[in-house]
Amino acid sequence: MYLSRSAEWSALVSHFQDSVNQSMAELFVSDTERAERFSLSLKGVHLDYSKNRITPRTMELLMDLVRRSDIEKKRQAMFEGERINFTEARAVLHTALRRPQDYSMTIDGEDVPAEVSSVLEQMRLFCDQVLSGQWRGYTGERMTDVVNIGIGGSDLGPYMVTEALKSFAHGKLRVHFVSNVDGSHLAETLKGIAPETTLFVVASKTFTTQETLANAMSARAWFLAGAGNQAHVARHFVAVSTNREKVEEFGIDASNMFRFWDWVGGRYSLWSAIGLSIALYLGFDRFSELLAGAHAMDEHFLNAPLEQNMPVILALLGIWYNNFFGAHSQAFIPYDQYLHRFPAFLQQLDMESNGKRVDRNGVETDYATGPVIWGEPGTNAQHAFFQLLHQGPAIIPVDFIIPLKTRNPAGEQHDMLVANCFAQSEALMRGKSEAEARLELEAAGYSGDDLQKLLPHKVFPGNRPTNTIVLDELDPFTLGSLIALYEQKVFVQGVVWNINSFDQWGVELGKQLAKAILPEFGSVTPADSHDASTNALINRYRKFRKSQKPQKIDQLSIF
Ligand code: F6P
């Protein structure tokens, strides 16, 4: 039965119609157990989902919906290595990367736990060598800087984690991330570092990604301009990839390659050798704690009853708003400056996974498969776009994330941060009624027409849903759990929506067209094979290029 015509879906449509005007503030008054009823804790991660437009009945109906999708069987299939990414005939086993290797499983004849532990050991040894100074550059100096060159999943995860855990770094290495094919990204990064003390980690699952290869080639040219000898490349360039042939073709020795496998999706790969820059920056033990935190969440996801299962609950709440309230976007607001790249990481995780318009049977969905994900850290966000959250016409659900403990006590500042976070969810829920706004205006001396004119602008509708995720502390373990929480949430939603969350064909067309356009810039004849707009844009750039004097390599800004 097609999802949106199922009895479970219809029951939710009716329930939505019956309860759409229910006020959360009133539900809190009528149910004194509500905060407790709709909260859940797991090893340093506490989820309060009581400020949602739900009752116990809503949750029952949402649970019926997830049960109809056979979630338990599909969850098992993922963890057991079935090829659930059926458009690419691949298993989805990022969970194996963080699982203690005391089990057996083979994929394509490969012993999964043995493979994982051998690469982890290779990473550990390499980290030890670099940090102890055993691994040195071509002048005999120690490494001081690591530059991760990658994009998408080969950048966002490691970049987000190294930023989030900056205060845990051992301080022996600086880490930099270059992703954009815009040469300025590399050029600005190279300005502050020296070839003799820099280690480049070229991270690409496929090792065919245009941006990464272009940046890696420019980085190698910059390095050779300083080092002078091709033989020195081996001490300064390592690769992380599934594609040994391409790595060797690029000129990186296979002994300097850290492998992973096609059953690790790009946006799920920070747990693999793609996390090498994390391990180098924090030390391998911290990286292991990150894996342990994620594994703890996996265990919870596998074993907790659906009604007390954090990823399942977050997934269903997302579906409730996206599909029944028609909420087209969701904001993620970490009240922690270290988590400033977390919303960007979630964007790829969620939107690349579930941004699909056909279901597993190839049938176009008549329901949304996920909101637009966005966000910025609080309190900055409050002074930028919270106006829209409080008084805009649309409902935009928010996830707040806040650690109880700060790494940087500064007077009352952490208390202020926490107070702001809690106040925002309270304000979004409570709002300000017309009567309250009127009283405030009267107290400020307004009356008559003046008061009447201002009044509608001072009203907050409230009843806007939020989750609050309270971490005991933002440390490697809880961060691992937090990331896995959202990974599994996205998985559950994909299962309910009956889509393949693990391919990303939608990114291919633009790549193909960019490859076709690139040679046209140097062509002697004007572009005429595209639509009129694209032809004109290409020709405008061709003309500009012709007007420029050709630059010699050593005049380029990165040298
Ligand atoms: O273009 C999208 C994508 O394929 C992502 O899924 C992936 O994380 C990213 O490109 C980078 O791919 P790779 O690691 O193969 O360079």
Side-chain angles (χ1 to χ4, degrees), residues 88-316:
E88 297 178 300
R90 288 177 185 166
V92 174
L93 269 175
H94 47 279
T95 52
L97 302 166
R98 52 218 194 192
R99 181 172 173 183
Q101 288 93 36
D102 54 358
Y103 66 103
S104 45
M105 184 191 291
T106 49
I107 301 272
D108 297 329
E110 272 176 353
D111 180 335
V112 171
E115 279 288 298
V116 170
S117 75
S118 102
V119 175
L120 284 174
E121 183 56 14
Q122 186 195 4
M123 289 168 70
R124 194 184 62 72
L125 281 174
F126 184 67
C127 289
D128 285 352
Q129 285 179 343
V130 173
L131 296 180
S132 66
Q134 207 183 319
W135 183 287
R136 289 181 184 242
Y138 67 91
T139 58
E141 283 180 77
R142 278 169 176 256
M143 296 297 168
T144 56
D145 292 88
V146 173
V147 180
N148 186 88
I149 299 181
I151 197 164
S154 302
D155 166 75
L156 287 162
Y159 184 23
M160 178 275 287
V161 171
T162 52
E163 285 296 292
L165 299 177
K166 200 181 254 181
S167 68
F168 291 85
H170 45 62
K172 292 182 186 159
L173 288 169
R174 286 180 292 264
V175 70
H176 316 266
F177 289 83
V178 174
S179 52
N180 201 329
V181 77
D182 180 348
S184 307
H185 200 175
L186 180 66
E188 289 300 333
T189 306
L190 297 180
K191 271 181 191 165
I193 60 181
E196 57 271 25
T197 51
T198 298
L199 177 70
F200 290 95
V201 177
V202 186
S204 174
K205 179 174 171 179
T206 54
F207 232 78
T208 57
T209 303
Q210 188 191 48
E211 292 90 333
T212 300
L213 293 189
N215 274 320
M217 279 193 266
S218 296
R220 187 173 55 187
W222 171 85
F223 171 76
L224 285 174
N229 185 343
Q230 183 73 31
H232 296 326
V233 168
R235 303 301 290 170
H236 291 265
F237 281 76
V238 300
V240 181
S241 188
T242 59
N243 194 341
R244 182 185 170 132
E245 212 180 305
K246 290 276 174 204
V247 167
E248 286 179 326
E249 212 173 275
F250 178 84
I252 295 180
D253 196 283
S255 60
N256 286 347
M257 173 180 156
F258 297 80
R259 68 187 185 284
F260 65 115
W261 311 270
D262 73 358
W263 38 264
V264 180
R267 52 194 173 274
Y268 300 89
S269 63
L270 71 89
W271 321 101
S272 71
I274 289 289
L276 184 62
S277 47
I278 304 174
L280 284 165
Y281 183 57
L282 301 177
F284 191 79
D285 290 349
R286 296 294 194 198
F287 183 66
S288 303
E289 290 165 25
L290 185 81
L291 301 186
H295 177 65
M297 185 55 72
D298 289 343
E299 287 286 296
H300 163 81
F301 176 52
L302 261 177
N303 300 315
L306 299 182
E307 284 75 8
Q308 284 142 42
N309 197 307
M310 269 194 218
V312 172
I313 290 168
L314 282 186
L316 291 174

